[in-house]
Amino acid sequence: MTLANAIVVIAFLSIIEGHLHYDRRWRAAFETVAVGNTEKVVLTKLGRPTAREKPDRLYPGYAYANCTTPCVERLWYENLIPGLEAWSISLDSDRRVLESYHWASP
């Protein structure tokens, strides 16, 4: 194995491990998010979301409908491979949790 190949393999494994770390963290933290929590609490528990969905633009791959009133934004935490698994947190106009959902491909 050349040095260049070794660097590529190490970089790839580091990326995978990084995402597995977030996956484990999100799984554990997601269970502690409760309706009524503030966005600040969610961000403290889960960190920065991988995407933010506004009512006028559906985040592709999971939900079949946009968040609608009283939802003003959905925070998405997506697994390493898009389309397989994600967690969403819906927020109201006061930036409080309305609902949370774990999305998984069959």
Side-chain angles (χ1 to χ4, degrees):
M1 180 182 287
T2 67
L3 179 59
N5 287 343
I7 290 171
V8 169
V9 169
I10 291 169
F12 178 74
L13 292 175
S14 296
I15 290 168
I16 297 295
E17 177 53 36
H19 277 279
L20 289 174
H21 167 75
Y22 278 108
D23 184 70
R24 287 187 298 269
R25 178 179 172 202
W26 291 337
R27 283 181 196 282
F30 182 77
E31 297 301 321
T32 69
V33 172
V35 170
N37 283 159
T38 64
E39 179 180 14
K40 183 177 179 178
V41 168
V42 172
L43 295 177
T44 298
K45 290 179 177 191
L46 293 168
R48 193 173 119 226
T50 53
R52 289 177 174 264
E53 174 193 338
K54 300 291 186 182
D56 61 339
R57 189 169 16 153
L58 182 65
Y59 187 65
Y62 305 99
Y64 294 111
N66 298 33
C67 72
T68 57
T69 304
C71 175
V72 298
E73 186 173 37
R74 258 190 212 134
L75 307 180
W76 286 94
Y77 296 87
E78 190 169 28
N79 198 336
L80 173 63
I81 302 169
L84 288 184
E85 184 175 36
W87 297 264
S88 69
I89 309 289
S90 298
L91 302 173
D92 66 14
S93 59
D94 293 327
R95 310 307 291 177
R96 293 192 171 274
V97 174
L98 287 169
E99 66 177 350
S100 57
Y101 198 80
H102 176 219
W103 306 80
S105 178

